[in-house]
C-alpha cells in the first residue's frame, strides 16, 4: 500500500451556531461556541488516516495552547507528525466559523501556516505509489516544491485549490488530480458557475483548465454529487440523500478519501464513489476533523 502525504494547514476552528447568518452590519444572537481541530491540511490527513491509509502531515503549528491541543488530537488519529514543526513567536492557524441551517461562513487567520516553506516539504520521503495532497491554505511556492518532489518520485499529486485564489499555469501543470467545487472551478476557468448549473457547463469549464498530462478534474457539487472529467469524458457520481448538520470539512473528507483509496490501489472511479459516501457521513456530524468517518462506517453505508 502506498502512503498519503498531506502538505497543508492546521487550524483550530472556533465555531458559532445561529438560526441564520447576519447581514453586513447586523448582529444576531447565537446558540453556542465550540472548538474543533481543523484546517484543510489537517482535515484531509485525518480523513485519509481514519480510512486506513498510512498518513504523514507536513505543516506548522504555533507555540501556543491551540498548537499543543492540535498536535495531541492529530497524534491520536494515528497521523505521522514528524514533519509538523512548532514555530516560536507565531500563533497557530485559526478559523472563525458561523453555522446556520447547516451552511457555513468561514474567516481563516493563517498564523503559522503562512510560514510553511520549501524546507518543510523537502524532508518528505515520497516514493512511487504514494499520493501527495495539498491545498491553498499554505504558500504556493511550498506547494510547487512539494509537487515537484512528488513528480520526481513517481507519486500521484492531488490539488484542492481552496480557498479559491489565482495560481500560475506551472503549478497546475504539476497536478494529476484537481478536486474543487464550482466556485473554485469558476475562478480558475475565468467564468461564473453555480452549483445548480447544467453539468455541461462544468464539463466545458473543466476542459479549459491546463493541468498535468492525462489529468483528472473532479468537481464536488454538494448534494448533487460529483462530476469528474476522466480521460476527457464526464463521469457523474450521484449525491447520497442525507440530512446535513454541518458541511464544514465535507470537501476535505472527500479529498482525503480519494487519496486513501488511490494509495490503496483502487481506480479513480472506485475512489470517487467511495469518497462520495464518506463525505455524506461527514456532513451529518458537527465539526471538521472530528467528523471524518472511519473505514468501517463507510463500508457500512456502501454495502447497503
Amino acid at each position: 500500500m502506498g502512503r498519503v502525504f498531506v502538505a497543508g494547514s492546521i487550524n483550530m476552528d472556533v465555531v458559532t451556531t445561529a438560526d441564520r447568518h447576519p447581514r453586513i452590519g447586523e448582529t444576531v444572537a447565537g446558540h453556542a461556541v465550540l472548538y474543533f481541530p481543523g484546517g484543510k491540511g489537517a482535515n484531509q490527513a485525518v480523513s485519509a488516516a481514519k480510512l486506513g491509509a498510512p498518513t504523514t502531515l507536513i505543516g506548522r503549528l504555533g507555540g501556543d495552547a491551540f498548537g499543543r491541543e492540535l498536535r495531541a488530537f492529530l497524534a491520536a488519529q494515528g497521523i505521522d507528525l514528524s514533519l509538523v514543526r512548532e514555530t516560536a513567536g507565531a500563533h497557530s492557524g485559526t478559523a472563525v466559523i458561523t453555522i446556520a441551517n447547516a451552511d457555513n461562513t468561514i474567516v481563516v487567520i493563517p498564523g503559522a501556516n503562512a510560514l510553511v516553506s520549501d524546507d518543510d516539504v523537502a524532508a518528505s520521503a515520497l516514493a512511487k505509489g504514494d499520493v501527495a495532497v495539498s491545498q491553498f491554505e499554505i504558500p504556493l511556492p511550498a506547494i510547487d516544491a512539494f509537487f515537484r518532489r512528488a513528480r520526481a518520485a513517481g507519486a500521484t499529486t492531488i490539488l484542492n485549490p481552496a480557498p479559491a485564489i489565482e495560481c500560475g499555469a506551472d503549478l497546475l501543470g504539476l497536478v494529476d488530480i484537481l478536486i474543487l467545487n464550482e466556485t473554485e472551478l469558476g475562478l480558475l476557468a475565468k467564468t461564473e458557475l453555480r452549483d445548480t448549473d447544467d453539468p455541461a457547463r462544468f464539463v466545458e469549464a473543466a476542459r479549459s483548465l491546463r493541468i498535468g498530462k492525462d489529468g483528472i478534474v473532479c468537481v464536488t457539487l454538494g448534494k448533487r454529487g460529483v462530476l469528474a472529467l476522466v480521460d476527457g469524458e464526464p463521469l457523474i457520481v450521484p449525491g447520497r440523500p442525507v440530512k446535513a448538520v454541518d458541511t464544514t470539512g465535507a470537501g476535505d473528507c472527500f479529498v482525503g478519501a480519494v487519496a486513501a483509496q488511490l494509495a490503496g490501489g483502487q481506480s479513480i472511479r472506485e475512489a470517487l464513489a467511495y469518497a462520495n459516501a464518506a463525505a455524506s457521513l461527514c456532513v451529518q456530524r458537527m465539526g471538521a476533523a472530528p467528523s471524518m468517518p472511519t473505514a468501517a462506517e463507510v463500508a457500512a453505508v456502501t454495502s447497503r
Side-chain angles (χ1 to χ4, degrees):
M1 183 175 191
R3 297 166 297 169
V4 174
F5 287 82
V6 181
S9 58
I10 311 169
N11 293 335
M12 180 62 77
D13 291 348
V14 182
V15 180
T16 62
T17 62
D19 289 331
R20 63 179 179 84
H21 294 282
R23 295 192 268 292
I24 294 174
E26 180 187 23
T27 299
V28 300
H31 300 300
V33 60
L34 308 162
Y35 297 86
F36 294 112
K40 298 191 72 64
N43 295 342
Q44 292 168 11
V46 171
S47 174
K50 291 184 72 171
L51 294 172
T55 303
T56 297
L57 180 58
I58 304 163
R60 292 204 186 200
L61 289 168
D64 53 12
F66 277 171
R68 292 187 290 275
E69 188 173 343
L70 287 164
R71 184 178 288 274
F73 170 81
L74 294 167
Q77 311 311 306
I79 298 169
D80 175 8
L81 300 178
S82 59
L83 300 182
V84 173
R85 296 172 58 184
E86 181 179 305
T87 308
H91 66 80
S92 297
T94 308
V96 181
I97 302 170
T98 300
I99 298 172
N101 296 319
D103 289 323
N104 60 62
T105 57
I106 305 174
V107 176
V108 177
I109 303 94
N113 296 311
L115 302 176
V116 176
S117 68
D118 297 11
D119 290 341
D120 293 309
V121 302
S124 53
L126 290 150
K128 187 175 178 60
D130 291 342
V131 180
V133 181
S134 197
Q135 342 70 32
F136 281 175
E137 286 187 339
I138 60 173
L140 298 188
I143 301 171
D144 187 279
F146 181 51
F147 280 0
R148 289 186 188 280
R149 287 185 61 82
R151 276 292 178 86
T156 298
T157 58
I158 297 178
L159 177 64
N160 174 218
I165 57 173
E166 296 280 359
C167 69
D170 288 349
L171 177 55
L172 288 182
L174 297 170
V175 176
D176 294 314
I177 302 172
L178 188 69
I179 301 177
L180 70 180
N181 64 23
E182 76 284 351
T183 302
E184 294 142 9
L185 175 60
L187 184 137
L188 293 181
K190 296 180 171 54
T191 187
E192 187 173 338
L193 296 170
R194 297 179 178 84
D195 61 3
T196 55
D197 284 346
D198 187 274
R201 290 213 64 213
F202 300 116
V203 171
E204 179 184 13
R207 284 185 170 142
S208 74
L209 302 181
R210 298 289 182 263
I211 65 171
K213 186 178 181 295
D214 300 322
I216 294 165
V217 180
C218 176
V219 188
T220 57
L221 298 171
K223 62 184 179 182
R224 291 182 69 185
V226 181
L227 186 149
L229 201 60
V230 181
D231 297 327
E233 296 299 323
L235 168 68
I236 296 177
V237 181
R240 302 174 69 92
V242 297
K243 182 174 176 54
V245 173
D246 178 10
T247 59
T248 309
D252 298 330
C253 176
F254 185 92
V255 172
V258 170
Q261 287 288 289
L262 295 178
Q266 302 301 314
S267 71
I268 185 62
R269 288 172 172 79
E270 292 169 321
L272 293 176
Y274 184 93
N276 197 43
S280 75
L281 291 170
C282 174
V283 299
Q284 297 179 68
R285 305 166 179 170
M286 285 291 294
S291 70
M292 302 300 164
T294 64
E297 288 171 328
V298 179
V301 299
T302 55
S303 63
R304 293 173 189 167

